[in-house]
Amino acid sequence: MVALSFFALENLNKELRLSLSVWTAGRTPLQVYHAARDQTFDERQVITRSALEGGWQQHVLDFRGYRDVTLFRIDPMTTRGPLQLGPVVLTGRWTELKLQGPDLERALSAWNDLRVTSADRETLRLEATGPDPHFNLAVPDALFDPPLGRLSAAAALLGAMVALAWLTLETATAFLRRYFPFAYVRLRNTLMFGWVLPVLICAGLTYHASDNITDSPVLGDAIQNLLIARNVYQHNTFSIDNSASHARPSNFREPLPPLVVGLYLKALLPAGQHPSFAQLRAGDKTRFVKLSNLIWVFAGLVGVWLLMIRLTRHGAAGLATTLLAYLYFFHAPAYIDTLYTELPTATLLIWCTYALFRAVRKLQARYFATAGVLMGLLALCKASFFYIGWAALLLLVLAMLFSRRDPKATRWQVLRWGAVAGLCMSLTLAPWMLRNQLQFGYSQVSDRGGLILLGRATLNQMSDEEVLGLLYEKSPRLYRRLVEGTRFAARPGDFERGGRWQRLNRGVSSFFENDRRAAYQGKPDGVVSFHFKSGAEAKQRLNELRAQGVPHAEQVLDQAMKREAMAMLRADPWRHVWMSGPFLWHGFWSFQKFEIPLLDPDLQEVLVELLNLVAGSALLAAFVFGLFALRPRLIALTVMPVGLLLFYAFLTHNIPRYSTPAHPLMLVVLGVVVHRGLAWVRRRGLLQGSPRQVFQRLRLVGR
């Protein structure tokens, strides 16, 4: 079985690496679309890379899956101007192809807004003549043809080794069972129902996840987390200053994730090594830095398994849910191949939920204290949990007070346990808040709340036509098929300059570079999109405050933006409440696609969307049922992830990334629902007898 599985997986594995060197005159994003055989390009199958400051830039992109990548569409820039292409190397598992100069020109096709000006032995020179320059590159089939002889020999050797190991294990087990039955039973229980097996499997999955951590550059908001981590490592201070000699303290980001990365660098980098920020962000140390995410991956997987065991008392349910959480979250490059805070937030959210559930079940102060500490750590990971945590704790205490399900939970005891949790949360947050009070004169966890809240208040003013674009922008394929041909669907150019939904486009477009530059310079009049306009206005006001010599200008601006945002919300509160529905929808559809062998790609996407719908609905339904039925255990299981979903829908622009920390707990709740459903079916005896009898019973139940 092992030999056949190995042989099949090696034949299905279609890994491919695309390496290309591109020269541009300035900073501009590069996009690479990929398509499998008999597929067309899809906007959801695209990888974006950015040149740092223009000039030559090496881009290395890895594609892993079970289908041949047969065609690339490469968009090397978004503006007109000169362009140069160096060698393009395609590396499969078994062979490599290098294209350069005239050979590269012959291999490229479907030119758009590009013309070749000259070519020498190594370089292809081009000119972008329009706003959408791109070309196609076909991938030869030979890159995916495996050497069957080598594979067969390797499969046979692996099968023989596993068979020998299995025989040894069987012999040892039989010996123990016959001569030392007590030791056999104890060892079996330790392996199957204790920590050993979950830890070993989670460690193996964590090691496997490391394959999805690459040396690709750190981008977006993760750059700020990396800056803070480097300053923790080199200067022992939290700062986003990119200075080699001095780092001014700041509070622009939550401290826990960069602190973990900084301590990781201190522990594992050789003494005396001080890599530059460029080496950490897009150099030879980039993958090493991102490998720190494996700490969170391992802790998250163990937490999912342990929580499922507590909920179902069934090892198979724990294993199945852990594998699902791994495939759709802890294995996804979008979360582990970067330094965003969604991964550590998800891990802490799992353990906080576990502590809350144990606290309500065991009714012991130590579990409430642990939950309070984890709530504080969550707030240091995502500042929103400062508010979510207090609201969740209040809701849980109220549910315990009025449910009266456990006679041991007297009103005085419940209030005492709630006070213990709140005190431990406050003590966890106290050092960081005291530091901010001493440094900046205020005790907030982070000073980005004003910008986000003002941005959301501004988004409330979008037109009803733009609300349709908000619903469509991140919608699932099922919705897009449903609204196809109506005004609810996108038409060509809707998200481009002059289109009806242009202000919603924060991604790559013909005006992306102009928006980014205007936001950086603080010129809001030159911005199209909502996203960059908010940033440009904030930068403009920050520059004015600094020019006036206002101390702690960032914090002063943050407080001013909060006041303005609250005034806007109070002016039209019902509009804000109504807009929270579309924003909840906008962030809800965020499950990552996992490729399933031998299934049609369109069907795979539908399955992922259905899993997203079912798991998310299970979480929300369980919370609502627990709330109205006054079930404290159910509230403890769901209140934190539901609080996250509602908070971001109500107070932010709620891009799909914001909802992703709730994914593992969505799958946990779905696993519990499935487990309880199967247990109910077994108790009713619906699956006993012949297939015809089973069908008749299920039909009667359906009636």
Side-chain angles (χ1 to χ4, degrees), residues 596-614:
I596 306 170
L598 307 179
L599 281 187
D600 180 75
D602 290 339
L603 177 59
Q604 290 183 44
E605 190 155 356
V606 170
L607 291 176
V608 173
E609 291 169 356
L610 287 175
L611 181 64
N612 194 161
L613 174 63
V614 173

Side-chain angles (χ1 to χ4, degrees), residues 311 318 540 577:
L311 290 167
Q540 183 185 53
V577 172

Side-chain angles (χ1 to χ4, degrees), residues 13 68 83 128 149 164 179 192 195 262 269 271 312 332 344 351 355 365 461 522 561 591 609 672:
N13 194 345
D68 302 0
L83 170 70
L164 181 61
Y179 296 104
M192 299 305 297
W195 280 85
L269 274 181
T312 64
W351 282 97
Q461 300 172 1
M561 289 190 294
F591 266 51
E609 291 169 356
V672 173

Side-chain angles (χ1 to χ4, degrees), residues 470-687:
L470 181 67
L471 293 173
Y472 185 87
E473 185 188 11
K474 302 297 181 182
S475 61
R477 184 183 293 264
L478 295 172
Y479 174 83
R480 297 188 177 203
R481 288 178 178 173
L482 183 66
V483 302
E484 189 174 359
T486 69
R487 62 189 289 260
F488 293 86
R491 297 187 291 267
D494 276 349
F495 287 100
E496 276 294 339
R497 188 185 294 274
R500 57 178 176 150
W501 298 339
Q502 61 171 350
R503 295 198 297 173
L504 299 173
N505 191 354
R506 57 182 283 161
V508 175
S509 64
S510 60
F511 55 84
F512 172 84
E513 189 59 28
N514 290 334
D515 273 16
R516 187 197 64 80
R517 191 179 299 111
Y520 181 77
Q521 296 171 353
K523 299 178 179 178
D525 292 339
V527 174
V528 173
S529 67
F530 280 117
H531 173 69
F532 283 108
K533 194 172 188 66
S534 297
E537 290 174 349
K539 183 69 174 181
Q540 183 185 53
R541 295 172 63 177
L542 181 62
N543 291 339
E544 292 172 354
L545 290 173
R546 286 175 175 171
Q548 296 168 12
V550 175
H552 305 306
E554 294 90 347
Q555 290 74 37
V556 171
L557 176 61
D558 183 71
Q559 295 299 318
M561 289 190 294
K562 276 186 180 178
R563 289 192 295 270
E564 293 173 23
M566 293 306 298
M568 293 172 67
L569 298 182
R570 285 193 296 267
D572 194 356
W574 294 114
R575 174 72 177 181
H576 179 72
V577 172
W578 184 85
M579 286 294 295
S580 297
F583 276 106
L584 178 63
W585 168 275
H586 186 257
F588 182 81
W589 302 101
S590 47
F591 266 51
Q592 289 291 305
K593 181 180 177 182
F594 170 73
E595 191 171 4
I596 306 170
L598 307 179
L599 281 187
D600 180 75
D602 290 339
L603 177 59
Q604 290 183 44
E605 190 155 356
V606 170
L607 291 176
V608 173
E609 291 169 356
L610 287 175
L611 181 64
N612 194 161
L613 174 63
V614 173
S617 300
L619 176 69
L620 294 171
F623 173 73
V624 172
F625 177 76
L627 196 62
F628 284 98
L630 289 178
R631 300 286 183 89
R633 294 183 186 180
L634 206 50
I635 294 174
L637 178 64
T638 56
V639 65
M640 295 297 285
V642 169
L644 177 142
L645 296 178
L646 297 180
F647 181 92
Y648 283 113
F650 197 72
L651 295 174
T652 75
H653 49 291
N654 202 28
I655 57 177
R657 175 167 60 86
Y658 292 172
S659 303
T660 55
H663 288 176
L665 286 170
M666 288 182 183
L667 295 170
V668 165
V669 175
L670 179 62
V672 173
V673 170
V674 172
H675 178 266
R676 296 291 173 86
L678 292 175
W680 179 83
V681 169
R682 284 196 300 270
R683 285 196 304 270
R684 296 288 296 270
L686 297 178
L687 298 182

